[in-house]
Amino acid sequence: LQQALQVVRNGRWHRLQEMVTQLVKCGVSADLTQFFQAEKPEHSFGRRHLARAIIDLKASRNFYHAFSFWLAKPEVAGVPKTRLPLKQGIELVRAAKGIPVLAHPPEDLDREFFRKWKSHGLLGIECEYPW
């Protein structure tokens, strides 16, 4: 499980670096590159951290603007994520005596999806979300 999570963390780090590159090309100050230089790839950085850096640089006034204006740009939003396949994740979590829960599910999932993955060992889903 820890090895798989390290692969995902490394992927998040590389994605963040590519998103920073794209944001600078789109007009955010090149100072954005400085925000994450002292950090380590072992930390799990995501879009929220990037939005905070954009706000700190005064390129956005709040999270809503940072997400809807900068992070929604196709060249930024299109940077692919490193994902752990759901079946592999379930197996690894269960082998570690954990409870596999699907977090941040997309809106378009139906009952069939959940029936299928419940039969593969999924035990929960995040059901409370801001919208």
Side-chain angles (χ1 to χ4, degrees):
L1 177 61
Q2 290 303 320
Q3 289 173 345
L5 292 174
Q6 186 61 48
V7 168
V8 173
R9 278 191 299 272
N10 287 342
R12 287 175 67 92
W13 178 252
H14 293 296
R15 181 174 190 242
L16 177 87
Q17 298 302 313
E18 180 58 27
M19 291 173 84
V20 166
T21 299
Q22 293 303 322
L23 285 162
V24 171
K25 287 180 184 177
C26 290
V28 174
S29 169
D31 291 340
L32 184 61
T33 59
Q34 305 300 315
F35 273 81
F36 302 100
Q37 281 187 341
E39 300 296 342
K40 297 178 179 160
E42 294 83 42
H43 297 131
S44 189
F45 292 102
R47 294 180 329 133
R48 188 162 184 83
H49 299 95
L50 198 48
R52 168 53 55 205
I54 292 168
I55 293 165
D56 289 349
L57 282 171
K58 309 281 190 257
S60 279
R61 57 192 170 276
N62 55 42
F63 278 101
Y64 177 80
H65 182 262
F67 274 91
S68 63
F69 183 77
W70 292 109
L71 298 176
K73 290 186 178 296
E75 51 272 63
V76 178
V79 177
K81 292 180 180 183
T82 299
R83 296 184 182 270
L84 184 63
L86 187 53
K87 184 174 183 182
Q88 181 185 3
I90 291 169
E91 291 168 355
L92 289 170
V93 168
R94 297 217 44 175
K97 307 290 188 237
I99 298 172
V101 175
L102 180 61
H104 310 290
E107 295 176 18
D108 61 348
L109 300 181
D110 59 14
R111 289 181 186 267
E112 272 311 304
F113 173 90
F114 293 108
R115 280 189 196 105
K116 173 186 173 184
W117 289 104
K118 181 180 178 184
S119 73
H120 287 294
L122 184 67
L123 295 177
I125 123 171
E126 176 187 53
C127 61
E128 188 170 323
Y129 210 58
W131 52 85

